[in-house]
Amino acid sequence: MAKPISIEVWNPSGKYRVVSTKPMPGTRWINLLTAQDCRVEICTEKKTILSVEDILALIGDKCDGVIGQLTEDWGEVLFAALKRAGGTAFSNMAVGYNNVDVSAANKYGVAVGNTPGVLTETTAELAAALSLAAARRIVEADQFMRAGLYDGWLPHLFVGNLLKGQTVGVIGAGRIGSAYARMMVEGFKMNLIYYDLYQATRLEKFVTAYGQFLKANGEQPVTWKRAATMVDVLREADLISLHPVLDKTTYHLINKDSLAIMKKEAILVNASRGPVIDEAALVEHLKANPMFRVGLDVFEDEPYMKPGLAELKNAVVVPHIASASKWTREGMATLAALNVLGKIKGFPIWSDPNQVVVFLEEKSAPPLACPSIVNAKHLGLTASKL
Ligand SMILES: NC(=O)c1ccc[n+]([C@@H]2O[C@H](COP(=O)([O-])OP(=O)(O)OC[C@H]3O[C@@H](n4cnc5c(N)ncnc54)[C@H](O)[C@@H]3O)[C@@H](O)[C@H]2O)c1
Ligand SMILES: O=C(O)[C@H](O)CO
């Protein structure tokens, strides 16, 4: 039996019991739930990652829905418990849901929500920040200054890579990958090569149009190429950013062999999921190739880094903060809450999970719909005509 867990309660007399496994940014999400007769219970336990036992204790005997986090293991045990407690709704406060066993949720008839769109630009911006930090050795240079080692300008001091005119490679050109590609092409006039299972038509049109604009202004036009295989991206790109979902097709996509194909002075950025890279192989590659640099937001065994990574000067590492802007994090909380609320209330599923901004307008009531339920089809939930 797990020990009692500390919780904060809002609207104690609410009819529907909704649990959030963590305090989330902003208050709009709480207000939206309490206004619709929900009793909201927020776990305030001072423990970063809750165990399955902790969450079982939170679900208890009666629970209509849960808002959870990407650090939690949502599988058979929790979905069975939620069903026993009368629950029908779960939402990750994240777009990625590789921590969720969707087949188990299907088995117990639980809707699984996620939070797409609201974090696209914020995450792409962090990937761009890591790209620049790695290319221009910002962290190394900052540490050098703070250590009092700067004793005057030198021709060789912290020489890095120029991005303009080089090739940016994007693996996984979905929402975030495409937004990142646009930033690097437009901002730094890089040429694009991408690999995805699907064609990124809008991205291609954007780069074509921008290339024409540059040409019309007497500048070197940017170009794009859709690679037939990931190997083409690894071989050709000077900077590669990873943005695919994590599943069995992308686990250790970047490994000893793929690293060996990349240019010796290439830059690799990962703001997708840690296990997309074989991190132990990456550490070896970084040690053997000091001019190869990485920018990492995510790690294979979070919160840990593989031995040796922390000591390497050619690695920039940050703690899974890619979606951490105020607007985005408050929006993620709102979307997660509305997914759970919508399922409890029997609202339809929003017709386009890529167009969710209408749910985030502070001044107007959100549509009466679930913004994004990944197993809607399987559960036979109807789509909104709104
Ligand atoms: N670091 C962070 O804080 C952070 C923030 C947001 C999202 N993410 C991660 O980024 C991922 C992408 O988010 P998104 O909103 O862009 O999702 P998305 O679904 O729009 O894009 C994912 C893309 O990956 C492609 N893909 C799938 N399998 C592939 C494969 N084997 N090879 C190449 N491409 C493949 C898909 O076709 C799709 O275009 C999320 O699933 C999440 O894991 C991380
Ligand atoms: O998948 C996600 O949404 C991120 O990892 C956290 O924002």
Side-chain angles (χ1 to χ4, degrees):
M1 182 78 153
K3 72 179 174 58
I5 261 185
S6 57
I7 51 167
E8 179 182 299
V9 181
W10 293 72
N11 192 28
S13 58
K15 177 172 167 195
Y16 308 104
R17 180 169 177 262
V18 173
V19 169
S20 173
T21 62
K22 284 276 166 233
M24 299 191 293
T27 50
R28 185 165 180 256
W29 69 274
I30 300 173
N31 298 335
L32 288 167
L33 288 170
T34 54
Q36 295 270 356
D37 211 7
C38 295
R39 169 191 167 105
V40 179
E41 295 190 19
I42 304 171
C43 177
T44 53
E45 196 76 9
K46 296 259 167 293
K47 181 178 181 188
T48 304
I49 301 179
L50 296 186
S51 65
V52 166
E53 287 67 34
D54 294 330
I55 300 170
L56 283 173
L58 284 171
I59 292 172
D61 299 333
K62 192 234 175 235
C63 181
D64 296 283
V66 180
I67 302 165
Q69 301 296 325
L70 61 86
T71 46
E72 298 157 6
D73 181 7
W74 278 86
E76 176 80 24
V77 176
L78 290 182
F79 287 119
L82 187 54
K83 163 105 176 160
R84 275 196 305 276
T88 58
F90 165 78
S91 183
N92 238 15
M93 183 204 160
V95 65
Y97 54 91
N98 52 288
N99 62 310
V100 180
D101 179 348
V102 180
S103 336
N106 289 341
K107 180 171 157 193
Y108 294 102
V110 176
V112 173
N114 72 339
T115 65
V118 66
L119 35 62
T120 299
E121 301 293 326
T122 299
T123 304
E125 284 180 14
L126 195 275
L130 286 175
S131 305
L132 288 173
R136 300 303 300 273
R137 307 173 61 184
I138 305 283
V139 175
E140 270 182 89
D142 176 277
Q143 286 167 351
F144 176 88
M145 281 300 284
R146 289 170 201 272
L149 296 172
Y150 183 51
D151 57 4
W153 190 91
L154 281 171
H156 288 295
L157 196 58
F158 291 111
V159 171
N161 301 14
L162 173 70
L163 298 181
K164 184 177 181 229
Q166 296 219 318
T167 299
V168 60
V170 171
I171 295 175
R175 286 175 291 250
I176 299 168
S178 289
Y180 168 84
R182 283 179 59 152
M183 287 174 194
M184 304 314 287
V185 168
E186 188 177 7
F188 304 102
K189 300 193 176 82
M190 300 188 81
N191 298 311
L192 172 68
I193 179 166
Y194 78 92
Y195 175 70
D196 197 295
L197 309 179
Y198 302 96
Q199 186 174 9
T201 315
R202 269 196 292 177
L203 175 60
E204 292 174 0
K205 282 187 180 154
F206 171 83
V207 183
T208 302
Y210 185 50
Q212 285 162 352
F213 168 83
L214 290 173
K215 199 169 173 199
N217 285 279
E219 289 189 63
Q220 180 71 24
V222 288
T223 60
W224 63 266
K225 181 155 121 190
R226 180 181 179 199
T229 66
M230 187 185 78
V231 170
D232 295 339
V233 178
L234 299 176
R235 198 175 285 128
E236 288 181 36
D238 302 288
L239 160 65
I240 295 178
S241 196
L242 307 173
H243 298 285
V245 296
L246 171 62
D247 62 13
K248 54 182 184 317
T249 71
T250 59
Y251 175 80
H252 282 192
L253 199 63
I254 301 298
N255 52 37
K256 189 172 182 243
D257 296 338
S258 35
L259 287 163
I261 298 169
M262 292 177 68
K263 294 182 182 178
K264 292 269 179 258
E265 298 191 4
I267 293 164
L268 176 66
V269 169
N270 189 12
S272 61
R273 284 289 183 267
V276 173
I277 299 182
D278 174 347
E279 201 173 300
L282 177 66
V283 170
E284 290 316 306
H285 191 78
L286 287 164
K287 281 183 187 163
N289 298 278
M291 300 305 281
F292 184 95
R293 291 197 278 274
V294 285
L296 302 175
D297 178 53
V298 287
F299 304 87
E300 193 167 351
D301 307 315
E302 286 183 26
Y304 308 107
M305 286 188 277
K306 290 287 188 206
L309 184 59
E311 288 76 50
L312 289 167
K313 282 193 176 359
N314 45 349
V316 176
V317 289
V318 295
H320 204 149
I321 55 168
S323 66
S325 72
K326 184 174 181 292
W327 183 80
T328 288
R329 286 284 166 88
E330 290 187 5
M332 290 164 72
T334 295
L335 294 180
L338 291 175
N339 282 330
V340 169
L341 177 68
K343 179 62 176 59
I344 291 172
K345 292 282 202 170
F347 296 160
I349 311 303
W350 189 239
S351 47
D352 184 355
N354 295 317
Q355 304 293 333
V356 291
V357 176
V358 65
F359 289 93
L360 308 173
E361 303 293 347
E362 291 281 341
K363 291 197 180 83
S364 52
L368 299 178
C370 298
S372 176
I373 299 292
V374 303
N375 56 348
K377 229 184 221 163
H378 185 93
L379 298 182
L381 303 174
T382 45
S384 157
K385 300 266 185 301
L386 299 171

